[in-house]
Amino acid sequence: LLSLGTGTTSEFDKTYTAEETAKWGALQWMLVIQQMAEAASSYMTDYYLSTVFQDLHSQNNYLRVQENALTGTTTKADDASEANMELLAQVGENLLKKPVSKDNPETYEEALKRFAKLLSDRKKLRANKASY
């Protein structure tokens, strides 16, 4: 399973003081709650799937690809300007060089190549079995 995320911001690591939140209106609270719910959904889906694959001793059959530190215009899903597309391409290029996780020093580039080979080998195996 190759799971492609749309990315998240580092905003979810941000903490707020009581003085800051006391000044928020209903709209600010709703925006923060919505962001938290979206992030929680993404994180929990990844956690659940990675746990299931680990329990099945198939952790090499699951790869989640997502940048978790988007900033600026790269966080805007509706910005299809050429400049933003170039920024997003750069984000992707940089992500390829990052380790998959703290526990897995393999880079995303290495993991995607390994994953592509695994899929290719399985397709060849199915094609060989079908020809018998």
Side-chain angles (χ1 to χ4, degrees), residues 7-14 16 24 27-43 75-76:
T8 62
T9 68
S10 54
E11 291 265 325
F12 304 111
D13 297 334
K14 186 175 180 182
Y16 301 98
W24 290 358
L27 181 59
Q28 181 65 36
W29 277 105
M30 292 301 292
L31 290 172
V32 170
I33 290 170
Q34 177 188 6
Q35 289 173 340
M36 291 170 67
E38 288 172 1
S41 174
S42 175
Y43 289 126
T75 64
K76 300 184 186 310

Side-chain angles (χ1 to χ4, degrees), residues 48-101:
Y48 173 74
L49 287 171
S50 64
T51 301
V52 168
F53 276 83
Q54 285 175 9
D55 287 347
L56 296 172
H57 305 289
S58 298
Q59 55 268 28
N60 288 336
N61 294 335
Y62 173 72
L63 178 62
R64 172 73 173 174
V65 179
Q66 174 161 286
E67 174 57 66
N68 291 315
L70 294 176
T71 59
T73 60
T74 61
T75 64
K76 300 184 186 310
D78 62 346
D79 185 350
S81 68
E82 187 174 334
N84 199 46
M85 293 296 105
E86 289 174 13
L87 282 173
L88 287 169
Q90 188 60 54
V91 166
E93 291 290 328
N94 293 342
L95 183 61
L96 287 173
K97 306 300 180 209
K98 290 183 178 181
V100 171
S101 70

